[in-house]
Amino acid sequence: MTTIHKTNYSQAELIGRSIGTKIINNHSTSNWIKLKFLLKADLSAGENNLVSDDGDDEIGELTIILYPNLKVIDENRSIDL
């Protein structure tokens, strides 16, 4: 079971989505849903200095791949340093 914990980002904007089917030996074995989010910093957290003065609040991306019943297959976070 995967739990997504709240971290220092406050917004996640959906930037991509897709659905697909895994095929083995010409037979469909499973379906999946892929969601890609843009992570944005909490601009009210001034003491953390997460955001530069140029207003760039994007801090990374989150990609989640799910079975149709919404069980998580994979989760990938890419955080900009």
Side-chain angles (χ1 to χ4, degrees), residues 36-56:
K36 189 172 186 178
F37 297 92
L38 178 64
L39 304 177
K40 295 186 176 184
D42 182 357
L43 297 176
S44 66
E47 69 274 5
N48 291 337
N49 294 323
L50 291 174
V51 182
S52 63
D53 290 338
D54 63 5
D56 184 17

Side-chain angles (χ1 to χ4, degrees), residues 1-79:
M1 176 180 214
T2 301
T3 304
I4 300 174
H5 300 281
K6 182 173 177 6
T7 57
N8 288 335
Y9 49 87
S10 64
Q11 296 181 10
E13 176 185 338
L14 181 65
I15 58 171
R17 67 222 181 268
S18 60
I19 57 174
T21 301
K22 182 177 180 181
I23 299 175
I24 298 177
N25 296 329
N26 292 329
H27 297 292
S28 174
T29 60
S30 64
N31 298 313
W32 49 265
I33 303 165
K34 182 177 180 180
L35 303 172
K36 189 172 186 178
F37 297 92
L38 178 64
L39 304 177
K40 295 186 176 184
D42 182 357
L43 297 176
S44 66
E47 69 274 5
N48 291 337
N49 294 323
L50 291 174
V51 182
S52 63
D53 290 338
D54 63 5
D56 184 17
D57 59 347
E58 299 172 2
I59 61 170
E61 293 181 354
L62 169 65
T63 302
I64 301 175
I65 302 175
L66 308 159
Y67 285 117
N69 66 359
L70 302 183
K71 181 179 176 186
V72 176
I73 299 171
D74 190 30
E75 174 184 341
N76 184 22
R77 296 180 192 197
S78 173
I79 305 297

